[in-house]
Amino acid sequence: MAAIVACTPQHEGISSRSAQFSEFPADLFTAFEAACNDPGEEFRRISQTSTECRQLLSPETTAYLILNFDGYPQKLPKSVMQLSSVKNQGGYQVDADMFLLIPQKSGRTLKVAIESPTLDRKLTRLYQVAGGTPV
């Protein structure tokens, strides 16, 4: 992991989880849905403007999260990526959010934000390919 971080350029320009599109990026949302079809993944349409992909994690990561976040082993943690859009004066702003959902022994679910400069850079490139401008 240290070798990967050490070899990654530290300043690649703007990196964002949000982008502005002049028109609704239907292709982006279609691709997002199509990409969420592997075993252990579940696509959900939250609303007309919000979708998400939930994914089971590796056994090692699952065990780590259950042990370190007082998880409930009968309900496994999942990683979630949400993609949502809002109409504004310039067209549409698309926002991505990435987090972990860890069911607790108490019955609640803990939401833990995922911070990843690598994922942010990939998301920025995806927005640009889809015709958006990172904001």
Side-chain angles (χ1 to χ4, degrees):
M1 179 68 136
I4 293 171
V5 173
C7 294
T8 303
Q10 299 302 312
H11 302 288
E12 282 190 14
I14 189 168
S15 181
S16 177
R17 292 190 179 181
S18 299
Q20 182 66 37
F21 292 83
S22 58
E23 297 179 12
F24 181 75
D27 290 345
L28 178 66
F29 280 85
T30 300
F32 181 69
E33 181 176 357
C36 185
N37 67 356
D38 287 338
E41 292 183 334
E42 175 188 6
F43 178 81
R44 291 184 174 188
R45 187 169 307 283
I46 305 303
S47 70
Q48 291 284 35
T49 61
S50 181
T51 60
E52 71 180 24
C53 184
R54 292 182 176 212
Q55 179 179 29
L56 293 173
L57 302 162
S58 71
E60 296 83 10
T61 301
T62 297
Y64 174 85
L65 293 173
I66 290 171
L67 292 173
N68 288 286
F69 289 94
D70 198 30
Y72 183 61
Q74 281 70 24
K75 291 190 176 182
L76 300 178
K78 295 181 180 181
S79 68
V80 180
M81 181 171 179
Q82 284 184 342
L83 200 60
S84 59
S85 68
V86 176
K87 186 164 178 46
N88 60 23
Q89 290 179 335
Y92 291 86
Q93 179 172 323
V94 174
D95 300 299
D97 191 15
M98 294 176 270
F99 52 91
L100 300 169
L101 292 177
I102 308 166
Q104 303 290 281
K105 291 178 183 174
S106 67
R108 298 180 331 147
T109 299
L110 182 64
K111 182 178 177 179
V112 178
I114 296 174
E115 298 297 326
S116 171
T118 302
L119 286 175
D120 291 348
R121 283 190 298 275
K122 288 180 180 182
L123 191 56
T124 296
R125 284 193 294 273
L126 176 65
Y127 284 150
Q128 291 169 331
V129 168
T133 303
V135 293

